[in-house]
């Protein structure tokens, strides 16, 4: 064992995860309204992924007046670029990337009806405003917990932009995927409540 | 007599380091995370620290990377003056990175800075070569993730700013970085030298065993003051609140010009991956 302690079968971490409120994704409108900044929840269902390249390309498609590969209405977009799946695995490590890099693109996706995004780190004032205007929330999951989060993903399918490699768009089926609500519909920002207000 | 290392030896060593660095956290960072959990004041943050420890365990057992950002490979090479590498050292290291990232199913995260086209094998690596005494060869690999790397900063302070200027600049950078670099972080600080030397020192300081204070008492004191300054701000684990924003501050010094006080800050995430081997 790594640090000289044998991990019990049900570790304190997994016990803690099992106690979380289970929430279905994509969120229905009542669920979104019930999410409170600071609450740690467990996501179950379908989410889509995208990071820098996927965002750049989605917005390029919009610029050209073309249709997006996925109808984003009501969906949750997870900012992740996983490692390649080793043989026999659904996915490699799959923790969140830093969200502010998606800020320039996010308001356009919210206009299309995207209901939630998930990454790590605070969002810009423009994104926070657009989230309130379009009744969307922002969640953070656990940065640097790529192996643990990989085990919460039961299925992964390529959706678009295959040539972007890890930056392609995937559809994940998740089970017991932990996330903290950062921005809720009431306009609360959990990072601000904890004195951590980087990047405005 | 010159000791000769083969290029293949170097390649094989770098390949092993790359895979192991991605999947197996070193005992120093695991110990620091355990201690952080035990002194954590926020319940949410304590639970997240618990999950980070569990993640390290899963990664090591299931041979998955601790974090999907398996980084740009930064390699510090110390080559003895009485040793040489048969063939091209850089080529041997690059080949080790290429094989390690391929065979370990690590993410190719390196691209052209303008076109953003991925090189698809995580090369080139960033290689720093330092000649040292003896006939050995030491390779230190730091796969550097960019959530934390992007929060780095450098300033040229006026010498009048002194120690208090250094402390407030570093604390300000870490606080401004907030939850982006995945706290609890390790903070590398380079003080002195020239513009680029301070940045190099900040990065190199991350190779030091975690939390080992600087040998010079005044530098060690500065490290402790910066650490306390960061942690009293209460951003906490992942910006979720609490008293563990930073696990350690490592500071390295180098004499500077009489007119200058360069200060560089290089932030490292809690997935503090570093591996070394002496051949």
């Amino acid at each position: 064992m790594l640090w000289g302690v044998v991990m019990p079968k049900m570790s304190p971490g997994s016990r803690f995860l099992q106690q979380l409120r289970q929430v279905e994704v994509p969120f229905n409108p009542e669920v979104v309204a019930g999410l409170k900044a600071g609450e740690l929840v467990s996501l179950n269902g379908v989410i889509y992924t995208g990071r820098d390249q996927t965002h750049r390309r989605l917005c390029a498609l919009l610029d050209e007046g073309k249709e997006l590969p996925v109808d984003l209405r009501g969906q949750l977009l997870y900012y992740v670029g996983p490692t390649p799946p080793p043989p026999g695995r659904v996915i490699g490590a799959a923790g969140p990337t830093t969200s502010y890099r998606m800020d320039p693109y996010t308001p356009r996706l919210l206009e299309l009806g995207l209901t939630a995004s998930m990454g790590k780190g605070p969002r810009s004032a423009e994104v926070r405003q657009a989230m309130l205007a379009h009744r969307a929330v922002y969640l953070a999951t656990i940065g640097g917990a790529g192996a643990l989060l990989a085990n919460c993903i039961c299925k992964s399918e390529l959706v678009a932009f295959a040539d972007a490699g890890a930056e392609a768009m995937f559809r994940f089926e998740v089970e017991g995927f932990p996330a903290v609500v950062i921005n809720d519909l009431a306009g609360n920002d959990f990072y601000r409540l904890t004195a951590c207000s980087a990047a405005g | 007599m010159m000791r000769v290392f083969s290029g293949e030896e170097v390649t094989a060593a770098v390949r092993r380091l790359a895979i192991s660095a991605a999947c197996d956290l070193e005992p120093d960072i695991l110990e620091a995370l355990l201690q952080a959990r035990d002194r954590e004041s926020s319940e949410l943050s304590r639970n997240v620290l618990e999950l980070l420890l569990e993640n390290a365990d899963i990664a090591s057992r299931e041979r998955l990377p601790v974090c999907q950002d398996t980084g740009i490979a930064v390699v510090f090479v110390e080559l003895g003056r009485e040793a040489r590498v048969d063939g091209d050292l850089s080529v041997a290291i690059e080949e080790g990175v290429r094989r390690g990232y391929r065979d370990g199913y690590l993410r190719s995260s390196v691209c052209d800075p303008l076109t953003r086209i991925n090189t698809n094998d995580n090369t080139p690596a960033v290689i720093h070569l330092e000649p040292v005494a003896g006939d050995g060869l030491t390779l230190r690999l730091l796969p550097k993730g960019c959530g934390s790397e992007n929060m780095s900063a450098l300033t040229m302070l006026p010498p009048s700013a002194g120690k208090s200027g250094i402390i407030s600049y570093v604390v300000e950078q870490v606080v401004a970085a907030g939850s982006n670099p995945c706290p609890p972080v390790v903070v590398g600080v380079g003080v002195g030298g020239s513009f680029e030397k301070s940045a190099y020192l900040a990065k190199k300081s991350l190779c030091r065993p975690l939390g080992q204070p600087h040998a010079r008492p005044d530098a060690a004191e500065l490290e402790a003051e910066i650490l306390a300054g960061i942690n009293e701000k209460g951003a906490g684990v992942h910006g979720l609140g609490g008293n563990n924003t930073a696990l350690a501050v490592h500071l390295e010094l180098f004499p500077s010009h009489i007119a200058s006080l360069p200060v560089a800050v290089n932030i490292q995430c809690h997935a503090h991956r570093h591996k070394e081997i002496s051949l």
Side-chain angles (χ1 to χ4, degrees), chain A residues 11 81 89 95 120 143 148 194 198, chain B residues 54-55 68 107 176 180 239 270:
Chain A
S11 66
R89 292 203 72 111
K120 67 179 172 83
L148 180 124
T194 58
Chain B
E54 191 169 332
N55 179 64
Q68 72 294 335
R107 197 179 78 187
N180 289 331
H270 63 74

Side-chain angles (χ1 to χ4, degrees), chain A residues 1-3 7 11-14 16-17 38 40 51 53 56 80-87 89 91-98 100-101 120-122 142-151 166 178 180 182 190-191 194-196 198-199, chain B residues 24-25 27 30 34 44 47-48 50-70 105-108 114-116 118 147-148 150-151 175-182 233-235 238-241 270-271:
Chain A
M1 238 349 87
L2 278 174
W3 46 87
M7 276 278 183
S11 66
S14 15
F16 164 66
L17 285 184
L40 195 62
R51 49 172 290 159
Q53 284 296 327
R56 209 162 99 163
V80 59
T83 59
R89 292 203 72 111
I91 192 96
T97 194
T98 317
Y100 73 83
R101 296 194 317 276
K120 67 179 172 83
I142 305 161
L148 180 124
L149 294 173
N151 284 349
V180 186
I182 301 295
F190 190 59
Y191 288 136
T194 58
C196 173
Chain B
D24 307 305
L25 288 183
L30 291 169
L34 273 172
L44 177 57
N47 282 321
V48 172
E50 202 72 71
L51 293 176
L52 294 181
L53 286 162
E54 191 169 332
N55 179 64
D57 186 58
I58 294 170
S60 188
R61 274 190 291 110
E62 301 185 14
R63 305 316 293 157
L64 275 176
V66 169
C67 175
Q68 72 294 335
D69 187 351
T70 47
Y105 297 92
L106 310 184
R107 197 179 78 187
S108 298
L114 298 182
T115 65
R116 311 307 294 179
N118 202 300
S148 57
N150 282 346
M151 298 295 115
V175 169
S179 54
N180 289 331
C182 286
K233 303 280 183 192
H238 285 293
L240 302 175
H270 63 74

Side-chain angles (χ1 to χ4, degrees), chain B residues 84-106:
Chain B
R84 66 176 184 84
V85 173
D86 194 22
D88 188 313
L89 176 63
S90 303
V91 169
I93 291 172
E94 301 286 3
E95 186 56 27
V97 168
R98 193 172 287 122
R99 290 186 198 170
Y101 276 70
R102 180 195 63 199
D103 299 346
Y105 297 92
L106 310 184

Side-chain angles (χ1 to χ4, degrees), chain A residues 50-56 59 77 79 97-111 114 116-131 134 137-139 182-183 189 191-192 197-200, chain B residues 151 179-180:
Chain A
R51 49 172 290 159
D52 308 58
Q53 284 296 327
T54 281
H55 277 78
R56 209 162 99 163
C59 287
L77 193 55
Y79 307 147
T97 194
T98 317
S99 304
Y100 73 83
R101 296 194 317 276
M102 273 40 88
D103 284 351
Y105 308 103
T106 303
R108 286 185 84 177
L109 303 183
L110 293 170
E111 272 170 39
L114 183 73
S117 56
M118 178 166 70
K120 67 179 172 83
R123 309 308 302 265
S124 67
E126 291 74 21
V127 171
R128 293 199 304 268
Q129 225 166 15
M131 287 196 290
H134 300 286
V137 292
Y138 169 62
L139 296 88
I182 301 295
N183 296 94
D189 184 332
Y191 288 136
R192 284 168 179 257
S197 54
Chain B
M151 298 295 115
S179 54
N180 289 331

